[in-house]
Amino acid sequence: MAHCFAEKGALEQRRLTDYLDNHDGTILLGDSGYALKRYLLTPIPAPRNEQEHLYDRQHRQGRLCIERTFGLLKSRFRCLHKTGGVLPLKPQKFANVFMACCRLHNLCVQNGLPEPPELDLEEDHDLEVGAPDNNLGGQAVRNQFVQIR
């Protein structure tokens, strides 16, 4: 869901952050360009032990799976990719378009249509200078995940 909102500014929209602040159990994965929050888990800036390294590897695997999925959708439906033109839609309308693309993609898979050729996807942002990582609520939630074996 994190990458459903392609722009980081989408997470700053009041209704979305209010929803996320008030719904325990909703977890989004973000790269280090996002600030750590209780509902938005980011990589650990400097892992200190094997558990933290494991958390970072699993976090990265989850994000890569999401990014591959969105890359496939952007390749199949160019209206979702910046090279296909920008859809000047309000968030709710865009969500409807996105869900329609997901349903159409599922129909393509069910009917055996080949996957489209991959587009040149965005780079991994973990190498960028990270956003603040000092949110205590976010650190507590992330630490719970680090402790899972």
Side-chain angles (χ1 to χ4, degrees), residues 63-76:
R63 274 197 15 259
L64 289 175
C65 179
I66 293 164
E67 289 173 12
R68 281 192 304 271
T69 301
F70 281 104
L72 178 60
L73 288 170
K74 288 176 182 181
S75 294
R76 191 178 295 276

Side-chain angles (χ1 to χ4, degrees), residues 20-62:
L20 293 169
D21 278 333
N22 295 305
H23 286 80
D24 287 339
T26 301
I27 301 292
L28 304 176
L29 297 180
D31 60 33
S32 61
Y34 290 94
L36 175 66
K37 305 238 186 237
R38 184 180 53 76
Y39 55 83
L40 179 63
L41 298 182
T42 59
I44 297 172
R48 297 168 299 195
N49 57 48
E50 184 55 36
Q51 284 181 295
E52 290 182 353
H53 282 284
L54 177 61
Y55 164 85
D56 270 1
R57 283 192 300 273
Q58 291 173 335
H59 183 277
R60 183 178 299 261
Q61 287 173 348

Side-chain angles (χ1 to χ4, degrees), residues 34-37 42-46 130-136 138-139 142:
Y34 290 94
L36 175 66
K37 305 238 186 237
T42 59
I44 297 172
D133 194 50
N134 57 359
N135 180 294
L136 295 179
Q139 288 176 355
R142 185 170 63 193

Side-chain angles (χ1 to χ4, degrees), residues 7-23:
E7 298 297 322
K8 291 180 178 130
L11 285 175
E12 296 165 7
Q13 292 182 15
R14 185 97 235 92
R15 281 195 311 176
L16 179 58
T17 55
D18 286 348
Y19 175 86
L20 293 169
D21 278 333
N22 295 305
H23 286 80

Side-chain angles (χ1 to χ4, degrees), residues 106-131:
N106 289 341
L107 287 172
C108 292
V109 171
Q110 290 169 359
N111 289 293
L113 292 171
E115 290 184 6
E118 284 188 37
L119 295 173
D120 185 21
L121 300 177
E122 291 84 22
E123 297 176 12
D124 186 357
H125 299 290
D126 274 350
L127 301 177
E128 294 180 0
V129 174

